[in-house]
Amino acid sequence: MWPFRKKGPSGFSGSSTAEEVTQGIDASDLTAIVTGASSGIGTETARVLALHGVHVVMAVRNVDAGERVKESIIKEIPTARVDVMELDLSSMASVRHLLPRILGNDKIEMQFATNHIVVLNVLIWCKYHFTVLRSFSFDKPVVGYYEENSTGKQERSYNSIYAYGQSKLSNILHAKELARHLKEEGVDITANALHPGGIATNLSRYHGFLHAVVNSVGKLFLKSIPQGAATTCYVALNPQVKGVSGEYFSDCNIAKPSSMANDPEMAKKLWDFSMELTS
């Protein structure tokens, strides 16, 4: 059970909440773009960041839902700086439309903007288009995996849980390769990946069997939403993470990902292919 998890080197654990891991931090000089902020851990992440003075840009598909969340945050935190902007993560055109609006409205520093535009485009494209079983298929940007049939012929299949898991693998590979590029170029920006943990959110509605498990015994072993948002807020704000880049976090501590996620050759290949696709 989460309350009995041991604390890691950071002093936090899987039972820590987003407010606990950011207590006493002033981040009023920061701007954060939070995707998926209209529900679940995205909403909690936006709320806690705003609580610490961050200018929060809620990038959401459903603007009405986003506005309702914004109202609830401002009601709780009258000084909160929150904007809602439309973003459909499945559309590259939507991503490109969002970024100039943010740059124009908020005058984000240009060096950050130039690097981050590339980063965000690549990250989003990877998340939704490269998910295969044992390795990435760089000749076909599709979501799915490849397996051999009885004749030895490669055929594409699709499994939603596998696709989701492999999309997360692409995030880790991308963060590590991005950190390497930033370090080589001498850019003072860090890039990390994280796993929020098993959380009882609406995400499970897309997987029938998983949804049934969550609604029964699963909730006994899953994190609450405040606990689920903790690692994101920790990596974003906690001074312990200052200067840390290219790492993978879980339960508010540096963790060891799979051997595939640590494969520098695959990370570089994914980066190069992603850059080609996103022009």
Side-chain angles (χ1 to χ4, degrees), residues 16-39:
S16 300
T17 67
E19 288 197 31
E20 290 171 348
V21 303
T22 56
Q23 188 172 8
I25 295 173
D26 178 11
S28 55
D29 59 336
L30 299 180
T31 295
I33 302 172
V34 182
T35 59
S38 60
S39 65

Side-chain angles (χ1 to χ4, degrees), residues 78-97:
T79 59
R81 297 177 294 157
V82 182
D83 288 317
V84 178
M85 294 188 178
E86 185 176 10
L87 173 64
D88 181 354
L89 285 173
S90 65
S91 167
M92 291 297 290
S94 179
V95 173
R96 291 178 176 131
H97 177 67

Side-chain angles (χ1 to χ4, degrees), residues 26-130:
D26 178 11
S28 55
D29 59 336
L30 299 180
T31 295
I33 302 172
V34 182
T35 59
S38 60
S39 65
I41 60 174
T43 294
E44 178 67 359
T45 298
R47 185 189 73 83
V48 172
L49 293 180
L51 185 65
H52 292 279
V54 177
H55 174 201
V56 177
V57 179
M58 297 173 55
V60 298
R61 181 185 300 181
N62 187 329
V63 174
D64 291 338
E67 290 290 350
R68 289 193 292 271
V69 171
K70 174 184 175 179
E71 290 175 6
S72 67
I73 292 176
I74 293 177
K75 183 177 180 180
E76 176 189 349
I77 313 164
T79 59
R81 297 177 294 157
V82 182
D83 288 317
V84 178
M85 294 188 178
E86 185 176 10
L87 173 64
D88 181 354
L89 285 173
S90 65
S91 167
M92 291 297 290
S94 179
V95 173
R96 291 178 176 131
H97 177 67
L98 173 78
L99 294 175
R101 292 171 60 199
I102 293 176
L103 297 179
N105 292 341
D106 301 324
K107 298 181 176 62
I108 294 177
E109 192 271 323
M110 203 57 204
Q111 179 172 298
F112 167 80
T114 301
N115 286 285
H116 191 64
I117 286 174
V118 176
V119 172
L120 190 59
N121 274 293
V122 173
L123 177 59
I124 291 170
W125 190 267
C126 288
K127 180 176 179 180
Y128 284 87
H129 294 272
F130 304 127

